Structure formats: structure tokens, C-alpha cells
């Protein structure tokens, strides 16, 4: 199935992405704004994997997130960051 998660370039999110790619057959759609906290290196092992999709987007951007949801139609959404907006 398709899993959408947010903040997948962060400390917690990257660990989740690596684990999902290594231990499941799920497609992982990783939505991350790429702030100062983001690390592509943290995804080593999952980066470039055929089941890992990286989308640079802000979760506050309703239009961008709607497009991601429409394209990937995830069965599961994991919100690994929060925002005050
Ligand atoms: N690490 C901990 O020990 C800990 C403890 C308690 C709570 N938390 C909370 O868990 C969440 C994740 O923690 P972490 O340590 O992985 O954080 P992190 O700062 O390492 O990573 C956050 C990731 O989210 C991305 N991001 C930030 N704002 C975004 C936005 N608006 N849209 C899309 N992507 C965005 C950043 O680019 C980054 O890759 C945070 O909300 C944090 O407050 C963390």
C-alpha cells in the first residue's frame, strides 16, 4: 500500500522511512519542506529506492498536499511533524 508521511528527512521521520523501506513492501511518499533540520543523508539506504518518493512541500500548502493525495492516494498518513499554522 501507499504510505504518506511528513517530515521524513528529519530525525524521527528518516528512521521511519528507512525502516518501512527495509522491512515492508509499501510505497513511502515522503513530504518534507526541507528546512534546516532536513537531512538527505539520513535517508541513506532508502534514498533513491524505487518505493521511496520524495516530495518537497510544506504541509501548510493545501494545494500541494491535495495534489500529493490525489496522485498517490495513500491508505495511511503518518504526521511526524506538527505546525502551529
Ligand atoms: N526528536 C525527539 O526526541 C522529539 C520528542 C518529542 C516530540 N518531537 C516532535 O516530533 C516531530 C519530529 O521530530 P524530529 O526530531 O524528527 O524533528 P526534525 O526537526 O529532526 O525534523 C523535522 C522534519 O520536518 C520537516 N518539516 C518541518 N516543517 C515542515 C513543514 N511545514 N512541511 C513539511 N515538512 C516540514 C523538516 O524539513 C525536517 O526534515 C517534531 O514535531 C518534534 O517537535 C520530537
Amino acid at each position: 500500500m501507499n504510505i504518506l508521511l511528513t517530515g521524513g528527512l528529519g530525525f524521527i521521520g528518516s528512521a521511519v522511512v528507512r525502516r518501512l523501506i527495509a522491512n515492508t513492501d509499501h510505497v513511502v511518499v515522503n513530504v518534507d519542506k526541507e528546512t534546516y533540520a532536513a537531512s538527505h543523508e539520513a535517508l541513506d539506504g532508502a534514498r533513491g529506492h524505487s518505493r521511496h518518493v520524495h516530495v518537497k512541500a510544506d504541509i501548510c500548502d493545501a494545494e500541494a498536499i491535495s495534489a500529493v493525495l490525489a496522485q498517490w492516494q495513500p491508505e495511511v498518513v503518518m504526521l511526524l511533524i506538527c505546525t502551529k499554522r
Side-chain angles (χ1 to χ4, degrees):
M1 68 178 167
N2 293 350
I3 298 176
L4 185 151
L5 65 82
T6 63
L9 294 178
F11 177 68
I12 295 172
S14 61
V16 175
V17 171
R18 291 195 307 271
R19 191 174 180 90
L20 287 170
I21 292 298
N23 298 308
T24 76
D25 292 326
H26 303 314
V27 172
V28 180
V29 181
N30 178 4
V31 176
D32 197 295
K33 187 180 175 182
E34 298 187 18
T35 68
Y36 69 92
S39 168
H40 286 277
E41 290 71 29
L43 281 183
D44 276 352
R47 203 158 43 143
H49 194 285
S50 59
R51 286 185 290 103
H52 175 242
V53 178
H54 176 64
V55 179
K56 182 179 179 181
D58 188 327
I59 60 169
C60 299
D61 182 342
E63 195 174 323
I65 300 305
S66 293
V68 173
L69 291 170
Q71 180 176 2
W72 293 99
Q73 304 192 2
E75 285 90 346
V76 171
V77 176
M78 302 172 75
L79 297 173
L80 302 179
I81 54 167
C82 59
T83 174
K84 290 178 184 159
R85 185 168 162 192

